[in-house]
Amino acid sequence: MKTTHPVTRAAFGVAALVAIALLANWLVSLTPLGNRGADFTENKVHTLSAGTRAILTELDTPVVIRYYASRNTDYMPEDLKLHMRRVDDLLKEYSSISKGKLRIDNLDPEPDTDAEDSANLDGINGQRMDDQNLFFGLAISCLDKKSVIPFIDPRDETMLEYHLSKAISDVSTPTKPKIGIMTALDLKGAPAMMPGQPPTPGWVIYQQLKQTFDVVDISMEGATIDPKVIKVLLLFHPADINPETEFTVDQYLLNGGTVVACLDAYSVAAQMTSGSKNPMMQQQPNPTTSTLPTLLPAWGVSYESAQVLADPSLATKLGGDRLGLAVLTCGKDTMPQKDNVITKDLGSVTFFLPGAFTIKGASGVTATSLIKSSAKAGFVDSMKASQLDPSLSRTMKSSGTAYDLVTHLTGTFKTAFPGGKPKPTTQGTPAPENKDAPKPAYLKESTTPGNVFLIADVDAFYDRFAYNVQNFGGQQMASPSNGNSSLLLNLLDQAVGSKYLIGARSRSAIRRPFTVVQKMEDDFNKTVGVKIEEFQTKQKDAQQKLSALQSQKSNSSDLYLSPAQEDEIKKLRQEQVDYSKKIREEEKELRRQKDKLAGKITLLNVAAMPVLVILIGLALFFKRRSATRAR
């Protein structure tokens, strides 16, 4: 019998092992286990957030994601191809976590195909690139609800998980979310008082809220609010709020509701809209100040409502070259949470005569500042600030403290009424108590972690200060004049969504800058840039001298260049050659440094793991050998 050579047997064995490994890897990739891995990157850029996982595991109705991507084309840019692979992996992980409740339909909308028709029906029209219509978008649907991401922009990769998770949460919620609005202002407007007169229009922000949410107007008299029905309670300038109503808000929060409170130290909007309900009747003016006197201290927050906040660093130039010291334009540098989805895409927000929050701290409650003043801020008289009194610039004293203008409180809240529901009042006097009536139960601590958002201004959302409003053919057209309306809409949009998205942050970017290489290039630009400037200066001087010599020649009868001119030209040419050599040497050195760094990285990537395996194998070998000798 012919025997096989040992080398041949070894080769067959190695080939069999490789084939088994490849087959096993392919089979595992088809299972949920194949999408799992360990994430050792900084900020866990390849790990889905806990909120996303909770949303996917709690799905009770199937959700379909139609993933439109032009794959069979040569015109797709390389950065989009790379981002497409990342989106592929992300959707696979979503599907794996959902345990069959999320289906991914991969479609390539080539011209004149059913996939292209489906994309058009979903409102995804593609992007024109090199005379080709390229598709790269998502349509998320559940039953009769649909949400669309028309184009997945690689520049917005940090927000993709949030937008996708929010879309899944929105379509899997069967009804439009309800928000309750409690306010001392007339946000709805009023019908015409007399024939021929136009009606009083409502606030633009109120009309926008009605387009997005199911808005429920709640009385300031303290009716019970069910958090299972009202997803978010918006307290919008709750001026003169009484203890009974504060108790209602307190119990709503402790029962799992989310509170958004827009307060004001001096509301110009309240002053301007006084008597707007019926100008023919004499009415009490709207209070210009609002606060929550019992709730805020219990939440660990103090609010300055007797004066307004001024800040020379954020002061706004107004008409007539007047300085609004208490009209604060807050840019990106005033938003400390760079990855928070509420403020991430805001350019600037303008506050008009705002109050300010100071976080004192409460047990179990965490405060996150979303927008802050500078440390140069201080409090000034409200009336003088509203009149743009120029003397405030001289008399204002900075406290050296940066105050919160928008803040987010989250955690386990305790009741602000440990003694129970306050007694009802009748014209400022407590009503007599019925001792025979049963005392209703009330909560002393929140049943689940709650959320409160605080905004130190109401005027920021008034039409005159937040929108450019125009009338076209009797129709009111409004466009945002700043980021004020986006701030409130972003905040409410997050608050009414899944509870797992409240406080969500954008992911870190997957593409990381090569900081070492960038530093090398910066150093090169500094050193070479100086030499280039020196060369250009000397070249310019030489050219000026040459022009002067040429001018002398034209004024003379000489037909040939003088020795001085020839020497100057030779000098200039020599300098050009010398500096060109130096620049080339610097560029070569930079390339050498880059190649050296790339070689080290490649060596680590290729050799580190095999070396580690060899070391572990040697350690196990010597350990087993020593154990064998011991026997």
Side-chain angles (χ1 to χ4, degrees):
M1 182 177 179
K2 187 178 179 181
T3 59
T4 307
H5 195 277
V7 175
T8 305
R9 289 200 301 269
F12 278 120
V14 171
L17 286 174
V18 170
I20 292 171
L22 291 175
L23 182 61
N25 184 60
W26 176 69
L27 291 173
V28 170
S29 68
L30 300 178
T31 67
L33 186 64
N35 293 315
R36 296 181 181 179
D39 188 357
F40 297 105
T41 59
E42 185 180 7
N43 299 322
K44 302 295 183 183
V45 296
H46 296 288
T47 301
L48 294 181
S49 66
T52 292
R53 292 177 177 275
I55 290 171
L56 295 174
T57 54
E58 292 185 5
L59 285 176
D60 54 5
T61 305
V63 175
V64 178
I65 295 180
R66 288 179 293 280
Y67 179 24
Y68 298 100
S70 298
R71 301 180 187 274
N72 299 322
T73 177
D74 296 329
Y75 295 95
M76 182 69 75
E78 288 300 323
D79 61 332
L80 283 182
K81 289 182 180 178
L82 179 61
H83 192 51
M84 191 179 294
R85 288 195 291 270
R86 293 170 181 155
V87 176
D88 293 344
D89 294 338
L90 181 68
L91 292 178
K92 286 180 182 177
E93 190 169 3
Y94 267 67
S95 178
S96 174
I97 295 173
S98 70
K99 297 179 180 178
K101 290 295 184 180
L102 183 66
R103 191 181 83 230
I104 312 295
D105 290 344
N106 291 283
L107 302 170
D108 188 347
E110 295 183 346
D112 302 323
T113 61
D114 292 340
E116 185 183 42
D117 294 338
S118 176
N120 292 330
L121 289 173
D122 280 330
I124 299 176
N125 300 317
Q127 301 285 319
R128 296 296 296 180
M129 296 180 186
D130 295 327
D131 295 329
Q132 294 285 321
N133 204 27
L134 303 182
F135 292 82
F136 189 29
L138 300 169
I140 302 95
S141 62
C142 179
L143 299 178
D144 60 342
K145 298 188 70 176
K146 180 170 66 176
S147 181
V148 175
I149 302 176
F151 180 70
I152 307 173
D153 193 338
R155 295 170 297 181
D156 199 29
E157 66 169 333
T158 60
M159 296 293 292
L160 178 58
E161 181 188 340
Y162 174 77
H163 289 319
L164 182 55
S165 299
K166 185 181 182 305
I168 293 172
S169 174
D170 289 345
V171 300
S172 58
T173 303
T175 58
K176 186 185 287 189
K178 285 189 177 183
I179 66 169
I181 298 183
M182 184 183 291
T183 179
L185 300 175
D186 180 20
L187 303 180
K188 296 184 293 184
M193 292 295 102
M194 298 179 64
Q197 287 186 343
T200 303
W203 286 34
V204 173
I205 191 69
Y206 183 82
Q207 297 172 24
Q208 285 190 312
L209 292 178
K210 291 193 70 174
Q211 292 174 1
T212 309
F213 310 110
D214 185 358
V215 176
V216 179
D217 296 306
I218 298 177
S219 169
M220 290 277 293
E221 300 304 318
T224 302
I225 308 170
D226 186 357
K228 294 181 180 179
V229 178
I230 304 297
K231 295 273 288 184
V232 175
L233 175 62
L234 174 60
L235 303 176
F236 198 85
H237 193 56
D240 296 337
I241 189 170
N242 59 48
E244 294 174 77
T245 305
E246 279 197 284
F247 177 78
T248 299
V249 176
D250 175 85
Q251 293 298 294
Y252 168 80
L253 174 64
L254 300 187
N255 272 292
T258 298
V259 176
V260 178
C262 299
L263 311 177
D264 212 316
Y266 188 87
S267 173
V268 178
Q271 189 180 52
M272 295 177 68
T273 56
S274 291
S276 62
K277 294 181 180 179
N278 190 346
M280 304 298 295
M281 299 178 60
Q282 187 173 1
Q283 299 177 7
Q284 292 292 328
N286 292 329
T288 57
T289 301
S290 58
T291 185
L292 301 172
T294 309
L295 292 173
L296 289 179
W299 297 341
V301 178
S302 68
Y303 179 65
E304 178 56 59
S305 59
Q307 296 177 297
V308 297
L309 188 71
D311 191 335
S313 300
L314 305 176
T316 305
K317 281 283 186 180
L318 302 175
D321 201 30
R322 296 177 299 171
L323 184 66
L325 201 63
V327 180
L328 312 182
T329 299
C330 301
K332 282 291 187 184
D333 55 336
T334 65
M335 305 174 190
Q337 310 300 323
K338 303 303 180 185
D339 57 349
N340 191 289
V341 296
I342 295 174
T343 58
K344 180 178 175 62
D345 293 326
L346 295 180
S348 65
V349 177
T350 304
F351 297 96
F352 295 80
L353 312 182
F357 302 107
T358 302
I359 307 301
K360 302 293 186 181
S363 177
V365 178
T366 302
T368 302
S369 299
L370 299 180
I371 302 180
K372 293 177 71 76
S373 73
S374 76
K376 296 181 179 179
F379 293 100
V380 297
D381 180 79
S382 303
M383 189 59 67
K384 289 184 178 181
S386 68
Q387 296 169 351
L388 304 180
D389 191 333
S391 66
L392 291 178
S393 300
R394 301 186 299 271
T395 59
M396 193 204 90
K397 295 182 180 180
S398 172
S399 62
T401 302
Y403 296 94
D404 280 17
L405 295 167
V406 182
T407 192
H408 174 204
L409 307 176
T410 184
T412 303
F413 291 84
K414 293 180 173 58
T415 182
F417 298 88
K421 183 176 182 179
K423 297 178 181 179
T425 57
T426 305
Q427 295 182 350
T429 304
E433 182 180 2
N434 183 2
K435 295 182 179 180
D436 297 331
K439 293 184 178 180
Y442 69 95
L443 293 176
K444 295 185 177 181
E445 188 173 301
S446 57
T447 55
T448 58
N451 290 276
V452 175
F453 296 90
L454 300 174
I455 302 176
D457 191 27
V458 169
D459 297 332
F461 311 110
Y462 185 48
D463 294 3
R464 183 170 297 188
F465 304 137
Y467 298 91
N468 295 316
V469 182
Q470 295 178 320
N471 287 315
F472 292 98
Q475 294 292 323
Q476 188 182 64
M477 304 292 291
S479 60
S481 58
N482 45 42
N484 295 9
S485 58
S486 296
L487 169 67
L488 184 58
L489 293 172
N490 286 355
L491 195 152
L492 289 172
D493 196 39
Q494 190 187 35
V496 300
S498 169
K499 61 183 179 181
Y500 301 114
L501 291 176
I502 298 180
R505 300 175 181 275
S506 60
R507 300 180 71 176
S508 298
I510 293 176
R511 288 176 290 183
R512 302 293 301 278
F514 293 96
T515 54
V516 176
V517 176
Q518 286 181 351
K519 186 177 184 302
M520 290 168 57
E521 291 178 344
D522 290 340
D523 293 340
F524 165 76
N525 291 331
K526 288 178 182 178
T527 55
V528 176
V530 172
K531 292 183 179 181
I532 290 174
E533 289 179 5
E534 182 183 353
F535 162 69
Q536 290 174 341
T537 302
K538 289 188 176 183
Q539 185 186 41
K540 185 177 179 181
D541 292 342
Q543 186 64 44
Q544 289 175 350
K545 291 178 182 179
L546 182 60
S547 298
L549 291 172
Q550 292 284 10
S551 178
Q552 292 175 8
K553 177 182 178 300
S554 62
N555 294 331
S556 67
S557 58
D558 296 336
L559 296 177
Y560 300 99
L561 294 173
S562 66
Q565 289 175 318
E566 291 179 352
D567 291 342
E568 196 66 36
I569 291 174
K570 289 180 181 179
K571 181 182 178 182
L572 173 60
R573 289 173 177 171
Q574 187 61 44
E575 286 181 354
Q576 288 177 327
V577 172
D578 292 342
Y579 278 96
S580 294
K581 287 182 179 179
K582 291 179 180 179
I583 291 172
R584 285 198 301 271
E585 287 298 323
E586 292 291 337
E587 290 176 340
K588 289 179 182 178
E589 180 62 25
L590 177 64
R591 283 196 293 269
R592 282 194 291 267
Q593 294 293 336
K594 283 185 176 180
D595 292 342
K596 185 178 179 181
L597 180 63
K600 290 181 179 179
I601 294 173
T602 303
L603 181 62
L604 287 173
N605 287 335
V606 173
M609 186 55 68
V611 168
L612 181 62
V613 172
I614 291 172
L615 292 175
I616 294 174
L618 288 173
L620 292 174
F621 170 74
F622 286 116
K623 182 180 180 182
R624 182 174 296 177
R625 187 175 181 182
S626 61
T628 304
R629 286 180 175 179
R631 294 196 191 103

